[in-house]
Amino acid sequence: MVVLASTPAVDHIPLLRSPDPGDYFSGMPVVDLSSPGAPRAIADACERFGFFKLVNHGVPADTMDRLESEAVRFFSLPQADKDRSGPAYPFGYGSKRIGLNGDMGWLEYLLLAVDSASLSGACAVPSCALFR
């Protein structure tokens, strides 16, 4: 799941990049949101690996469990049902083929607004009420 605040950003998300010579993956990058260096650590993890695990964010575990369950339910729907929840401009479901270096694949994503006013009016995803 990707959360963005502006429409054109979806076209600027790099889906694949070659690693830098010093990059290696020894496990999931973890960012402690309570740390003063959190903003830089988030940017570094995004630039180097494209993902990270966030800890000490204050979101209750039951809220995260409900969100994950709803995301699994949504992405398990038949493709035609998911397609009705898009396109992802400005918000909603989208998918792309990836693999410019021969490692072909398919990426699905759900773009959600970060404020309640945008989410309530702009999200065409049928399960937005649960995401809210």
Side-chain angles (χ1 to χ4, degrees):
M1 180 176 351
V2 177
V3 180
L4 299 173
S6 61
T7 304
V10 70
D11 293 324
H12 302 289
I13 298 172
L15 298 178
L16 185 64
R17 72 164 186 84
S18 297
D20 294 329
D23 283 349
Y24 63 93
F25 186 71
S26 61
M28 173 75 69
V30 177
V31 176
D32 183 346
L33 196 57
S34 66
S35 165
R40 181 74 256 161
I42 290 171
D44 288 345
C46 288
E47 290 170 2
R48 293 184 67 207
F49 301 105
F51 57 89
F52 57 92
K53 177 180 180 179
L54 190 62
V55 297
N56 295 321
H57 44 66
V59 178
D62 66 318
T63 300
M64 292 187 304
D65 291 343
R66 287 193 329 261
L67 177 61
E68 183 177 1
S69 294
E70 179 56 24
V72 167
R73 189 200 66 74
F74 176 80
F75 286 106
S76 298
L77 291 171
Q79 189 64 45
D81 292 345
K82 291 185 285 190
D83 288 340
R84 281 193 291 278
S85 298
Y89 293 100
F91 305 108
Y93 171 78
S95 58
K96 292 185 176 187
R97 292 197 183 284
I98 61 172
L100 301 175
N101 293 330
D103 48 348
M104 300 299 289
W106 188 256
L107 173 74
E108 295 184 292
Y109 54 94
L110 189 56
L111 300 179
L112 301 173
V114 294
D115 60 71
S116 59
S118 295
L119 182 60
S120 64
C123 187
V125 179
S127 57
C128 266
L130 293 172
F131 281 114
R132 274 181 251 148

